[in-house]
Amino acid sequence: MNWIDIALPLGGYLLGSVATAIVVSRLLGLPDPRTMGSGNPGATNVLRTGRKGAALATLLGDMLKGMIPVIIARLLEASEIVVILTALAAFLGHIYPIFFQFRGGKGVATALGVLLGLSAWLGLAVLGAWLLVAATLRYSSLAALIAAAAAPIIAWGLDMNAPAILGIALMSALLIIRHRGNIQRLLNGTESRIGSSKKTGTDSSA
């Protein structure tokens, strides 16, 4: 192990810890997203300000901070274990950010960025699963849960290596745990559908 093997996961975690929603909101003079809707620092709460461009910037930023560390690790020809550790670190940084008292988002957009960094086909397939469920059942949280559950299966189908599949499975499990409130509301029939005017704590976009 050399210093790069340590620096890559550490850098991934620190980049992941940058809460894009909060940074974008501060730069544009918008309300703190943690004071709106579900209180989650994600694109959905930024969208509640009425600024679609700010919400899109948040979504892209959350994706990129998952993708960039993985791509850098690949370019530096790090071992597969280090690449996966870097990917997990970026995801953990988003959901447990050191810069914001370890209170972060749910990780959907950052997880997608990680998957795209690991394999474009994997990321696109998981995104397709999300879009299919979201378009047919109109539940963003359910789409995220099904896409997360499908991710390690798709990775296995693409013949990815064992460390990658294990890392993706762990990330998916953490993402599902972060959606436990949404799961309860889905079971109770109180979860809001996409496009609904009802504002409950259903933010699952980041």
Side-chain angles (χ1 to χ4, degrees), residues 52-174:
K52 294 181 179 179
L56 179 59
T58 299
L59 189 64
L60 291 175
D62 283 342
M63 287 178 57
L64 287 173
K65 70 182 187 180
M67 185 188 303
I68 289 173
V70 178
I71 292 176
I72 291 175
R74 293 280 198 211
L75 290 175
L76 292 177
E77 299 182 347
S79 68
E80 195 60 31
I81 294 294
V82 172
V83 171
I84 297 304
L85 288 176
T86 302
L88 286 172
F91 177 74
L92 288 172
H94 179 79
I95 62 177
Y96 302 115
I98 192 172
F99 303 130
F100 298 97
Q101 296 77 52
F102 301 101
R103 298 174 60 185
K106 294 185 178 180
V108 176
T110 302
L112 177 59
V114 165
L115 296 179
L116 287 168
L118 291 173
S119 165
W121 289 116
L122 171 63
L124 291 173
V126 172
L127 176 60
W130 187 96
L131 290 172
L132 178 63
V133 177
T136 54
L137 300 180
R138 308 294 295 174
Y139 285 112
S140 175
S141 56
L142 181 59
L145 290 166
I146 291 176
I153 299 173
I154 295 171
W156 175 78
L158 291 172
D159 201 26
M160 297 183 71
N161 58 63
I165 295 172
L166 181 60
I168 292 165
L170 178 57
M171 186 173 65
S172 295
L174 289 170

Side-chain angles (χ1 to χ4, degrees), residues 16-50:
S17 290
V18 178
T20 313
I22 298 174
V23 173
V24 169
S25 296
R26 288 179 179 176
L27 288 174
L28 297 179
L30 301 176
D32 190 321
R34 295 170 294 182
T35 65
M36 305 182 68
S38 63
N40 183 52
T44 299
N45 280 340
V46 176
L47 183 61
R48 288 188 170 115
T49 65

